[in-house]
Amino acid sequence: MAPTLSEARMAGRALQARRLRIWTQSPTCAACGRLTSYPAGFELDHRVPLHQGGPDTDENCQVLCNGADGCHGKKTAQDLGHRPKRGA
């Protein structure tokens, strides 16, 4: 039986180690190039979302800036099929 999404997804210390490892390799947002701060200035994003079959691996992860106008929120909305707000 295949693991469920929650069983397959990395968490805890392993996730924190991955966040530091990937941020250390490239501390800038993969979408806009903005320099991000560790640990709260970015989200670790899956290039191919897990719900679309992407693997939970370092190679499928990237740093995206967060915040009110951050790239992570925009990409997440796009991944879920949401349209951008008018005038945005």
Side-chain angles (χ1 to χ4, degrees):
M1 186 164 106
T4 65
L5 181 60
S6 62
E7 292 170 332
R9 186 175 213 152
M10 183 180 284
R13 290 183 184 183
L15 176 58
Q16 294 312 311
R18 175 184 280 174
R19 283 176 50 82
L20 179 58
R21 185 171 56 249
I22 292 173
W23 179 83
T24 300
Q25 292 170 358
S26 181
T28 58
C29 176
C32 72
R34 183 183 308 166
L35 183 64
T36 62
S37 62
Y38 185 86
F42 72 98
E43 294 293 334
L44 196 58
D45 177 74
H46 291 92
R47 288 179 175 98
V48 178
L50 298 178
H51 74 271
Q52 292 179 0
D56 193 15
T57 62
D58 284 14
E59 294 75 24
N60 190 38
C61 290
Q62 63 186 349
V63 168
L64 291 180
C65 61
N66 61 12
D69 64 340
C71 294
H72 183 257
K74 293 173 188 173
K75 181 179 177 290
T76 298
Q78 182 181 20
D79 289 346
L80 295 173
H82 299 185
R83 298 165 121 186
K85 292 181 181 177
R86 295 181 84 168

